[in-house]
Amino acid sequence: MTTVPPLAVGGERLRACLSQWPSGVAVVTTVDSAGVRRGFTATSFSALSMDPPLVLVCLDRGADCKPAFDTATAMAIHVLRDDQSPLARLFATKGHDKYDGLRTSPGLDGVPLLAGTLARIECALDRRIPAGDHVILVGLVRRARVFPGRPLVHHARAFHTLTGRPPREARNRPDDEHDGYDRHDEPGDGGEQGG
């Protein structure tokens, strides 16, 4: 077998090519060893296995939250709705508290759960695989929920929404109500607000 040396492809050209692949948008959350909430926006997310149930998400090695994911025991992947581009931008920005003013509920191992998302997958962090300038985080799925709405899509370096009516099975899911993990008690009011 003959091996052909790879052609040198500049980073900007590769980014332009890859930006033509439309993808969903997710926010991945965890807590660090001190209990501080951390997270990032991801478009590199995929199912990996159904048996056992595994998913993967890619984290930039330069991300502020990487040290937290290096030692975390769990993570939650939130598939964003089409009206959540501000949330995607918030978690994609470095150098600030991404949770300032954001209501969350505790999930698996205290991982913060975001309200109002299209789907949520809570995972035990199964392994971390170094891959170039990223780390592949593999999660063993422990809980998964689907909620009504339409997905946020990332294409050509911008957020988009899908047009048309969702497929019938997407409109008639059994998980159409947010569960107890989406309860948000406001300080002092004792009330419940779902998302």
Side-chain angles (χ1 to χ4, degrees), residues 3 53 71 94 114 126 132 172:
T3 303
T71 59
K94 290 183 177 185
L114 307 176
D126 186 65
N172 297 318

Side-chain angles (χ1 to χ4, degrees), residues 26 29 42 47 51 55 59 62 71 74 77 98 101 108 112 120 123 130 140 151-152 161 163 167 171 181 189 194:
T29 61
D51 186 19
V55 294
L59 172 62
T71 59
I77 301 165
K98 297 171 183 180
L108 184 68
R120 180 182 59 236
C123 306
L140 177 62
L152 181 62
T161 59
T163 58
R171 295 191 307 265
Y181 293 103
D189 74 359

